[in-house]
Amino acid sequence: YARDYSDIEVSVESLPARRLLVLGASATSYEEGRPPDVVAARDEAIEKLGAFLKRSKVDAAGFPMFAITSREVYTISFDVMVPVPADANIRVPDDMQLVELPAAKAVVARHVGNRMLSNVTHEKARAYMFIQKLEADGRHLEEFISDPSTTSELDFETNVIQY
């Protein structure tokens, strides 16, 4: 059957270079039929990054980003990233790293609602790329448009980005 993508906005955008503070995290569940609580683990990682930036007296340069790095039977691993000013002098602890995300053109699809259902938005972005004959380099992430600490999961907005 054909899936209805009509409510998902997709566009090609030129994204600026960004400097990101990155923390790897994971969520695990050993209960059959119960998926790992990625939202709780994500929020914990965002809180840890925010606390580090506050101690370092550095303001975030945007909302957090999220990228799943691996999926296994009981565990989902991911990176949580927070944009920081390019000129910020930050001494990064061992469990975090600074990464330069170069400027690039990317397909951006807006997702509204439960983040755990964003697979449909990822599908729409890939379908758009196929129709437009665009090739991806395999990188993708989700950039939060809403503040995850103050927005309900049902009203949460993200940009799904395919490079």
Side-chain angles (χ1 to χ4, degrees), residues 5 14 24 36-37 54 64-65 72 79 92 114 127 130 141 163:
Y5 295 122
S14 294
D37 191 349
K54 187 174 183 176
M65 299 177 196
E72 297 173 21
D79 287 334
V92 181
N114 184 336
F130 178 78
L141 57 87
Y163 288 94

Side-chain angles (χ1 to χ4, degrees), residues 40-53:
R42 173 205 70 194
D43 290 349
E44 184 178 314
I46 291 170
E47 190 174 304
K48 185 173 182 177
L49 287 167
F52 170 74
L53 289 174

Side-chain angles (χ1 to χ4, degrees), residues 42-133:
R42 173 205 70 194
D43 290 349
E44 184 178 314
I46 291 170
E47 190 174 304
K48 185 173 182 177
L49 287 167
F52 170 74
L53 289 174
K54 187 174 183 176
R55 285 192 311 275
S56 300
K57 298 183 173 127
V58 174
D59 290 327
F63 285 126
M65 299 177 196
F66 176 89
I68 291 178
T69 55
S70 71
R71 290 178 191 259
E72 297 173 21
V73 175
Y74 301 107
T75 302
I76 298 175
S77 299
F78 52 90
D79 287 334
V80 174
M81 301 150 273
V82 175
V84 295
D87 61 351
N89 185 16
I90 303 172
R91 290 186 66 111
V92 181
D94 291 340
D95 61 341
M96 297 179 193
Q97 59 183 342
L98 280 174
V99 174
E100 302 295 329
L101 186 63
K105 284 199 177 200
V107 172
V108 179
R110 175 67 57 97
H111 176 80
V112 179
N114 184 336
R115 211 220 56 75
M116 297 308 292
L117 300 176
S118 67
N119 59 322
V120 174
T121 306
H122 283 276
E123 286 175 13
K124 168 73 180 226
R126 287 190 299 275
Y128 179 89
M129 292 173 77
F130 178 78
I131 290 167
Q132 298 296 323
K133 297 181 177 30

Side-chain angles (χ1 to χ4, degrees), residues 3-25:
R3 191 183 292 270
D4 179 13
Y5 295 122
S6 62
D7 63 334
I8 301 173
E9 301 171 31
V10 180
S11 61
V12 175
E13 297 181 19
S14 294
L15 301 178
R18 291 181 268 190
R19 187 176 190 209
L20 304 174
L21 180 64
V22 181
L23 175 63

